[in-house]
């Protein structure tokens, strides 16, 4: 590799590592704070928080890696324009192609990594997270319940107990609240034994208490006084969106649902979008004399926001059937490609005029 390419690559690579590490650290801290709050509220087992945060970071790398390289290219080239280094390189007879070639040395491998994360790493991590959350959010797994606190899960089920014996799956002086579209159930029991803690078929045996079943659609309210009562609680069910994010590429490819097709195209297009976004940053990072190296960050930020939100809107429209699946999500990279070609044509035509 030539000296100019090595120099540009070293600057961009250094900034990319710094920015990505900073973004990963900030994202990990935010995720840890969120899930530690859930653990403190009794909705998530404390021992799974670290694993969930690691999986979340892996998912976020699909976005953090492109953002890190995008910002690094913008700042590094902006500094080189400010210091007139790019001007000196071009004045020495070097072609602007060498700048693009140096950036591509880093952008192509990173685009491949992003593609693999999007296709395989992200759905695997989502599957692991949802499995851990489903297991730990079953209030019948008493190991993470807290005494004298309202322990709730994502479906609104609530368990309150004065004493908790995790070793024997036993609750003392307990209150259990569940709800469904048709009824609300409240059980007050002197003691509760967990028969089946599985989120798929949670079952408890209530002893010496009172139960109330309230009908939301009529007057069929019931009150019961019991000595022993077996209750099959509503299982924790994954939403369709959850299952879609955790689905494999093969599962999405076999589906006829437009939302699954949109998810598949989203994953497939991430690598190409990363490459095109980074290449767009090269001509847009050019600064005028006496401008600071951060002068181009505003238009570059606007461009990133347009790409990001445009991709999300496009995916939603495909899922709703508002736009056809072909070209579908690929329309965003196509627009980016046309914009890049227009910028390249303008840049090279300007250089030809200056060389005359």
């Amino acid at each position: 590799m030539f000296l100019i390419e090595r120099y540009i690559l070293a600057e961009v690579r250094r900034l990319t590592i710094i920015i990505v590490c900073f973004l990963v650290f900030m994202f990990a801290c935010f995720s840890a704070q969120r899930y530690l709050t859930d653990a403190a509220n009794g909705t998530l087992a404390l021992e799974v928080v670290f694993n969930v945060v690691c999986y979340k970071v892996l998912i976020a790398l699909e976005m953090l890696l492109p953002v890190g390289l995008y910002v690094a290219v913008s700042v590094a080239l902006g500094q080189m324009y400010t210091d007139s280094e790019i001007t000196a390189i071009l004045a020495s007879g070097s072609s602007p192609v060498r700048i693009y070639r140096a950036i591509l040395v880093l952008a192509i491998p990173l685009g491949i990594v992003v593609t693999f994360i999007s296709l395989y790493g992200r759905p695997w991590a989502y599957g692991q997270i949802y499995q851990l959350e489903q297991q730990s959010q079953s209030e019948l797994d008493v190991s993470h319940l807290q005494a004298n606190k309202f322990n709730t899960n994502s479906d609104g089920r609530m368990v309150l107990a004065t004493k908790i014996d995790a070793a024997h799956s036993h609750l003392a002086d307990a209150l259990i609240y569940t709800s469904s579209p048709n009824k609300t159930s409240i059980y007050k029991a002197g003691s509760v034994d967990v028969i089946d803690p599985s989120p798929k078929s949670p079952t408890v045996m209530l002893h010496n208490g009172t139960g109330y079943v309230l009908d939301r659609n009529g007057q069929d309210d019931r009150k019961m006084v019991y000595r022993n009562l077996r209750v099959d609680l509503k299982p924790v069910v994954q939403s369709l969106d959850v299952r879609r994010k955790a689905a494999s590429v093969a599962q999405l490819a076999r589906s006829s649902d437009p939302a699954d097709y949109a998810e598949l195209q989203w994953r497939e297009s991430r690598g190409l979008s990363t490459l095109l976004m980074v290449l767009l940053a090269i001509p847009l990072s050019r600064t005028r004399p006496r401008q600071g190296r951060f002068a181009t960050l505003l238009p570059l930020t606007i461009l990133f926001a347009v790409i990001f939100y445009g991709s999300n809107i496009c995916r939603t429209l495909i899922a709703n059937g508002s736009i056809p699946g072909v070209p579908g999500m690929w329309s965003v990279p196509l627009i980016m490609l046309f914009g890049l070609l227009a910028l390249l044509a303008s840049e090279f035509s300007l250089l030809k005029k200056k060389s005359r």
Side-chain angles (χ1 to χ4, degrees):
M1 188 182 296
F2 297 102
L3 178 62
I4 293 176
E5 284 83 348
R6 288 202 306 270
Y7 177 71
I8 296 174
L9 180 59
E11 288 294 313
V12 174
R13 182 172 53 203
R14 178 181 61 84
L15 280 175
T16 301
I17 294 173
I18 294 173
I19 293 171
V20 170
C21 289
F22 174 76
L23 292 175
V24 168
F25 174 76
M26 294 299 296
F27 182 82
C29 291
F30 170 78
S31 298
Q33 183 272 334
R34 172 192 169 188
Y35 287 106
L36 284 173
T37 301
D38 291 341
N41 293 332
T43 60
L44 189 67
L46 182 61
E47 59 268 17
V48 306
V49 170
F50 178 76
N51 292 335
V52 172
V53 171
C54 290
Y55 292 136
K56 279 289 186 179
V57 169
L58 175 59
I59 293 170
L61 285 177
E62 178 193 37
M63 183 61 63
L64 299 183
L65 288 176
V67 170
L69 182 57
Y70 180 75
V71 175
V73 170
S74 306
V75 174
L77 293 184
Q79 180 63 50
M80 294 179 70
Y81 274 110
T82 302
D83 296 339
S84 300
E85 291 178 296
I86 298 294
T87 303
I89 291 173
L90 299 179
S92 65
S94 298
S95 170
V97 174
R98 301 185 67 175
I99 301 175
Y100 288 89
R101 186 166 57 193
I103 301 301
L104 284 173
V105 170
L106 190 58
I108 291 177
L110 188 136
I112 295 174
V113 171
V114 170
T115 300
F116 274 94
I117 292 176
S118 183
L119 289 176
Y120 305 107
R122 177 171 169 266
W124 175 79
Y126 267 122
Q128 297 299 314
I129 289 174
Y130 296 139
Q131 183 179 358
L132 289 173
E133 288 182 343
Q134 188 182 50
Q135 290 173 353
S136 63
Q137 283 183 353
S138 173
E139 287 79 10
L140 305 184
D141 178 14
V142 299
S143 61
H144 74 274
L145 291 183
Q146 299 183 39
N148 298 311
K149 291 193 68 174
F150 292 100
N151 301 276
T152 61
N153 75 344
S154 57
D155 286 346
R157 189 192 307 154
M158 184 276 297
V159 172
L160 173 67
T162 57
K163 295 181 180 179
I164 299 174
D165 184 356
H168 299 90
S169 297
H170 181 82
L171 309 177
D173 193 16
L175 178 69
I176 299 178
Y177 168 89
T178 64
S179 64
S180 68
N182 298 323
K183 65 180 181 179
T184 298
S185 301
I186 303 174
Y187 302 96
K188 178 70 173 66
S191 63
V192 177
D193 290 314
V194 178
I195 299 175
D196 185 359
S198 170
K200 297 181 179 179
S201 57
T203 306
V204 295
M205 180 65 74
L206 310 180
H207 307 286
N208 302 320
T210 306
Y212 300 90
V213 179
L214 308 178
D215 184 11
R216 295 188 177 186
N217 299 322
Q219 302 298 323
D220 189 20
D221 298 337
R222 290 178 291 143
K223 175 184 176 181
M224 63 188 80
V225 179
Y226 56 84
R227 183 175 297 274
N228 296 293
L229 177 65
R230 178 189 173 101
V231 177
D232 297 318
L233 299 176
K234 184 175 68 173
V236 178
V237 181
Q238 286 186 348
S239 67
L240 184 60
D241 184 56
V242 167
R243 293 195 296 269
R244 181 175 298 116
K245 288 181 179 179
S248 65
V249 174
Q251 290 173 325
L252 295 176
R254 290 193 299 266
S255 175
S256 58
D257 189 343
D260 291 338
Y261 190 65
E263 174 68 20
L264 178 61
Q265 286 192 338
W266 169 273
R267 298 181 189 179
E268 293 173 339
S269 62
R270 290 305 85 201
L272 180 59
S273 295
T274 298
L275 181 62
L276 292 173
M277 185 174 68
V278 171
L279 291 178
L280 281 169
I282 298 175
L284 292 176
S285 62
R286 186 187 302 111
T287 59
R288 297 186 182 91
R290 292 180 296 278
Q291 278 187 320
R293 59 176 172 173
F294 301 108
T296 60
L297 286 185
L298 179 59
L300 286 167
T301 302
I302 295 175
L303 174 64
F304 173 78
V306 170
I307 294 173
F308 178 76
Y309 288 108
S311 299
N312 283 322
I313 292 172
C314 186
R315 178 169 59 173
T316 302
L317 293 176
I318 296 171
N320 295 337
S322 301
I323 61 176
V326 179
M329 284 297 304
W330 296 105
S331 59
V332 176
L334 283 174
I335 294 173
M336 295 169 65
L337 178 60
F338 291 144
L340 176 62
L341 293 176
L343 289 173
L344 289 175
S346 174
E347 181 177 12
F348 281 97
S349 64
L350 182 62
L351 287 174
K352 289 182 179 179
K353 290 181 180 179
K354 290 182 177 181
S355 62
R356 291 176 182 174

